[in-house]
Amino acid sequence: MRTKHVNALIALAAVMLLSFSCFCISRMTRISNQLINCRNHILEFKEKMLHLKNKTERNHQELTKALSKMKYEMTQRKNMSINLVEKKMNTLGKNETTSNTFEILKFFFPHLRKVDRIYPDVIIGKEKTGVSFALGISTVNRGNQSYLKQTLNSLVSRMTPSEEKDSVVIVSVSDRNEDYLKSVVGMITKRFKRQLRSGSLEIISIPAFFYPNISHVKESTDDSGKSESKCIKQVLDFCFLMLYAQPKAMYYLQLEDDIIAKKMYFTKITDFVHNITSKNWFYIEFSILGFIGKLFKSQDLPDFVRFFLMFYKDKPIDLLLRDIFQVKMCNPGENPEKCAERNKQIRIRYKPSLFQHVGIQSSFPGIEQYSKKIR
């Protein structure tokens, strides 16, 4: 009997142990599954974190690039913040003062008497003043051909740092085509940043309202093939540029947009001017071609401009420059040789020429010119 009870207890214990084992195994299986799920969740979370990290790194790199680009652009703007001035005539402040040199234009052109201020339509540069030399270049659209970059590179690269500091090159855009103005501004701001920053280079454009109505002028041409209306406009372009440059410097050098300067041209000009014994010279020719390389005292520019404006409809500007001596220096009935001898004392020629004309495509549409030789 006792043996039966013992066997029953053993059997019960065995059943309970088996049940507990099954329970434990079942529990452990669930826990194992939970751990596996948890591990999967952890791996998934880790993968998401890794993806987020990679995305964050990419965003960081892109942000770094963007910040670097912004920093570069800000630096460029800071470097280019040379007090670039773009003035429109209709936006000038009422209290803003402008040069009185343009006022003489109102005497010759009645249509300008209704204009409050006569000033360049656009100015890009520091409006530098108080220098010894102003170099004026009038430029117009020559179609597919442009020599301006070559001309400017020749001029500025052959100046010493001290000469550049004591001078200003003024590029006057005398073309109503806004695309041409934009192309000139784009080229200069890209290629000649340092000169713009230092103030040794400026860009201006002549306002369209400045020009009188010359529609009545016949488009007949002279022997050179130059249009009469284009010659008239060229005289006016030079006059405006001269008046703008007059208050800036002691001397004014007239150039064109299709020339190359000789090496050390500026040093030679400076030395020659400083070594002239006579103080009564009217202008100096550093080139015999046309109106190129003519150096004037700035104080005399208004007199030249007045004379040019009196006869701007009659002759090209290089011929007017010759005529002004006949009017000012030759007395009626005087021996021509005597007058010519007097002109040599005030109309001085430097040899050899310091400027070479390179442009084949003339500023007058449809005309080609081949005068390149330095003489």
Side-chain angles (χ1 to χ4, degrees):
M1 189 69 179
R2 184 176 295 176
T3 300
K4 289 181 179 181
H5 285 296
V6 170
N7 290 336
L9 288 172
I10 292 173
L12 180 63
V15 170
M16 291 180 64
L17 182 61
L18 180 62
S19 299
F20 180 74
S21 296
C22 292
F23 171 79
C24 287
I25 291 172
S26 175
R27 184 70 176 173
M28 289 178 68
T29 301
R30 287 198 300 271
I31 292 174
S32 178
N33 291 335
Q34 289 176 353
L35 287 173
I36 291 173
N37 290 335
C38 183
R39 186 187 67 177
N40 291 337
H41 285 305
I42 291 174
L43 291 175
E44 184 180 354
F45 177 75
K46 185 178 180 180
E47 185 177 353
K48 289 182 178 179
M49 289 296 292
L50 182 61
H51 177 73
L52 183 62
K53 179 182 178 183
N54 293 335
K55 186 176 181 180
T56 302
E57 287 180 354
R58 287 196 300 270
N59 291 339
H60 177 72
Q61 291 175 357
E62 292 176 359
L63 181 61
T64 301
K65 287 182 180 179
L67 289 174
S68 298
K69 186 177 180 181
M70 289 176 62
K71 185 177 180 181
Y72 173 78
E73 290 177 351
M74 290 176 67
T75 303
Q76 289 295 99
R77 290 179 183 178
K78 184 178 180 180
N79 291 338
M80 285 300 295
S81 70
I82 50 176
N83 297 329
L84 292 184
V85 183
E86 292 194 14
K87 297 181 179 179
K88 297 292 184 181
M89 285 297 300
N90 57 358
T91 60
L92 286 174
K94 292 183 178 180
N95 297 326
E96 188 171 357
T97 59
T98 59
S99 173
N100 291 325
T101 57
F102 291 105
E103 292 300 308
I104 67 174
L105 297 174
K106 295 182 178 181
F107 177 81
F108 296 95
F109 303 123
H111 74 282
L112 295 178
R113 295 170 191 169
K114 298 179 181 180
V115 179
D116 292 335
R117 299 175 180 86
I118 304 173
Y119 213 60
D121 193 36
V122 172
I123 302 175
I124 300 179
K126 275 192 169 182
E127 300 188 78
K128 189 177 180 180
T129 59
V131 295
S132 295
F133 292 89
L135 288 66
I137 301 173
S138 180
T139 184
V140 295
N141 189 356
R142 297 173 185 263
N144 295 328
Q145 186 65 56
S146 176
Y147 310 96
L148 181 59
K149 181 170 67 174
Q150 182 182 14
T151 295
L152 288 176
N153 186 63
S154 167
L155 293 173
V156 302
S157 66
R158 290 171 177 172
M159 288 184 185
T160 66
S162 60
E163 290 170 348
E164 184 178 310
K165 185 177 181 180
D166 196 31
S167 64
V168 56
V169 178
I170 307 165
V171 177
S172 175
V173 181
S174 309
D175 199 297
R176 299 184 186 183
N177 187 325
E178 290 190 5
D179 290 335
Y180 182 67
L181 172 61
K182 291 178 181 178
S183 69
V184 171
V185 172
M187 181 274 291
I188 292 179
T189 54
K190 181 179 180 181
R191 300 287 183 177
F192 302 96
K193 293 179 182 179
R194 182 179 59 79
Q195 287 77 15
L196 283 174
R197 288 197 298 267
S198 68
S200 62
L201 181 59
E202 290 185 19
I203 311 168
I204 68 171
S205 70
I206 300 179
F209 69 78
F210 160 66
Y211 299 98
N213 183 7
I214 56 174
S215 59
H216 62 283
V217 177
K218 296 180 180 180
E219 288 302 318
S220 60
T221 58
D222 57 20
D223 293 338
S224 68
K226 293 181 179 180
S227 166
E228 186 176 346
S229 63
K230 298 297 181 182
C231 286
I232 289 175
K233 181 181 178 298
Q234 188 181 64
V235 175
L236 298 177
D237 293 342
F238 284 130
C239 287
F240 192 95
L241 178 54
M242 286 178 162
L243 291 177
Y244 177 77
Q246 191 269 332
K248 289 179 169 291
M250 186 179 300
Y251 303 102
Y252 173 76
L253 180 66
Q254 181 64 61
L255 299 171
E256 293 187 10
D257 63 350
D258 57 351
I259 57 98
I260 290 180
K262 201 172 182 180
K263 291 181 179 179
M264 296 184 65
Y265 80 98
F266 202 94
T267 302
K268 293 175 181 178
I269 289 175
T270 303
D271 292 343
F272 188 78
V273 171
H274 290 165
N275 291 327
I276 291 179
T277 56
S278 172
K279 301 299 180 183
N280 296 323
W281 58 272
F282 212 29
Y283 78 78
I284 303 173
E285 290 183 290
F286 291 99
S287 171
I288 64 171
L289 295 174
F291 205 52
I292 298 170
K294 305 303 186 280
L295 183 79
F296 305 88
K297 297 174 186 175
S298 292
Q299 64 186 21
D300 295 334
L301 287 178
D303 292 334
F304 281 98
V305 169
R306 289 188 184 96
F307 185 85
F308 296 152
L309 292 180
M310 280 191 287
F311 304 103
Y312 75 94
K313 296 179 182 178
D314 302 315
K315 292 184 180 180
I317 196 165
D318 53 333
L319 299 184
L320 292 177
L321 185 62
R322 181 191 63 187
D323 290 347
I324 194 172
F325 289 97
Q326 196 73 20
V327 173
K328 289 184 69 69
M329 302 308 301
C330 297
N331 300 321
E334 184 179 26
N335 187 315
E337 288 77 12
K338 186 176 180 180
C339 179
E341 187 62 31
R342 189 185 306 117
N343 281 346
K344 289 180 182 179
Q345 299 174 6
I346 63 172
R347 181 182 177 182
I348 303 172
R349 178 172 295 174
Y350 178 93
K351 294 182 180 180
S353 174
L354 295 180
F355 302 98
Q356 177 177 345
H357 185 265
V358 295
I360 294 177
Q361 183 60 50
S362 171
S363 57
F364 298 98
I367 301 174
E368 293 185 349
Q369 50 196 11
Y370 296 90
S371 298
K372 290 187 177 183
K373 187 177 180 180
I374 295 180
R375 292 180 280 178

